[in-house]
Amino acid sequence: MTMAVSTLPNRAMMAALAATLALAGCASMAPPYAPPPLPVATQYPEADPAGAPAPDVAWQAYFADPRLQALIAQALASNRDIRIAALRVEEARAAYGIQRAEQFPTIALGASGSRARVPADLSPTGRAMTSAQYQAGLNVSAWELDFWGRVRSLKDSALQTLLASDEARRAVGVALVAQVANGYLGLRELDERVALARATVDSRAESLRIFTRRFEVGSISKLDLTQVETLLSQALSLSAQLEQARAVQAHALAQLVGGPVDLTSVAGEVHRFDDASVLQPLHAGLPSALLTQRPDLIAAEHQLRAAQANIGAARAAFFPTISLTAAYGTASAELNGLFDSGSGAWNLAPRLVLPIFDAGRLRANMDLAEVRRDVAVANYEKSVQGAFREVADALSNRRWLALQVDIGKTTLAAQSERARLAKLRYDNGAAPYLEVLDAQRDLLTVEQQLVQTRRALLSSQVSLYAALGGGAPVASAAASTH
């Protein structure tokens, strides 16, 4: 750009720039933020026993099994969903940095030089002329003076998007902890069911051996022998199905963890897997507490705030846009005189643009911002309702599954006694072997169901921990952003 030399004191230009900087810091035109009322009941439908709030209980303390702790730690370090969520935060942070920089002028150091010859017939003096111009200095190019808060609103929107992405990353961490815990519990359940099936296969194989000898000596009929073979075939089929299910469960858990894991130490354990898992009692509190506990709800609120800020930017677009182009430096017709005394030069060129006719573009942009705000409100309310339901479901599941476990234990004791009595009656000739067949089949079914119910009870506690926003496995990385 060409800079004109002037005798205006430099301090006058500095004062003008300082005044524009002060005027540019006007307040945003975004509507004031007010959180929507909670579209849920004031308390959960199930009674809530005393316990610690879930966010106050770290996952290391809640899941006491050392192998499960190792799996969760590995998943938080290696899971690809966590990695993608973290990169999304960095992406939002960079976008915020770009938008934040728009509030400040871009100052560049520039230097240029030119020489030109004017032929005699174009020269005002009638003689050919050769001229030169050299300049160097600091330039400010088209810096928008944010009188109406448009740039500031866009910066606030980018900041809220960054905070939302960081909370979304934390929500992914909470969900991942729950998924790994449930995957591990599912694997332990299948280990115990496989062990029960294998024990049943061994027992029935021994029974078949004994009954085969009895049939060979003619003490039992062919029907009795085929019934024993049927029992063994059913146990073998169940064992194969459970082995298949365990393999699939192990593969899914390895994918969650994000790398190869040693799951052989879990296989073959026959003790009750819930005896090795210490899950602390949790206090659900009130639904309003979810707003400060669950990362996904916090993220939804940040998205709502971002939509509010975009309305401010859309409103500001109706007002004049004032931009400033300026330069300050030195200029000379000779290169060796560029920095001589008296060569100082400056240029100040404000520009104002007032929209008059745009075929409704600004009005449509305003409507778009308001509709997106309304969508964000609906998403926020939907997220709150979903969170309320998840907690309520987990509380109900915990209560009724505990009752089902107690009933299952009673049923198992009764079925075990029934199977013992049926065998005794058959041995004494008081009942056909079909009675033994039915009793043993029902006993195996009850054993398998009880293991499944105990695992479901533990999973309900894991779900409650996650639904309450449990333990924030990854600290917020954007809390200190300004």
Side-chain angles (χ1 to χ4, degrees), residues 364-400:
N365 188 56
M366 181 68 184
D367 294 341
L368 177 63
E370 291 178 343
V371 170
R372 286 178 174 173
R373 187 271 314 274
D374 294 340
V375 170
V377 170
N379 282 333
Y380 177 76
E381 293 175 342
K382 178 181 177 181
S383 298
V384 171
Q385 290 177 333
F388 177 88
R389 176 185 174 180
E390 288 177 9
V391 176
D393 287 348
L395 290 171
S396 297
N397 291 339
R398 183 176 65 176
R399 174 186 176 186
W400 295 110

Side-chain angles (χ1 to χ4, degrees), residues 421-478:
L421 294 175
K423 182 64 168 57
L424 184 62
R425 282 166 51 82
Y426 173 76
D427 291 341
N428 292 329
Y433 194 75
L434 182 61
E435 184 175 320
V436 178
L437 180 69
D438 289 339
Q440 292 188 352
R441 185 188 297 116
D442 292 344
L443 176 59
L444 179 59
T445 300
V446 170
E447 288 176 337
Q448 296 286 326
Q449 288 177 345
L450 179 57
V451 176
Q452 291 176 292
T453 306
R454 286 193 289 109
R455 196 274 306 161
L457 175 59
L458 290 177
S459 291
S460 71
Q461 298 181 59
V462 172
S463 298
L464 178 60
Y465 181 72
L468 293 173
V474 183
S476 175

Side-chain angles (χ1 to χ4, degrees), residues 95-106 142-146 150-152 154-155:
Y96 168 69
I98 294 172
Q99 192 60 57
R100 182 176 181 271
E102 293 294 325
Q103 290 185 300
F104 306 95
T106 299
W143 171 46
E144 180 178 345
L145 303 180
D146 196 26
R150 188 188 74 86
V151 177
R152 179 179 176 181
L154 293 176
K155 185 266 295 185

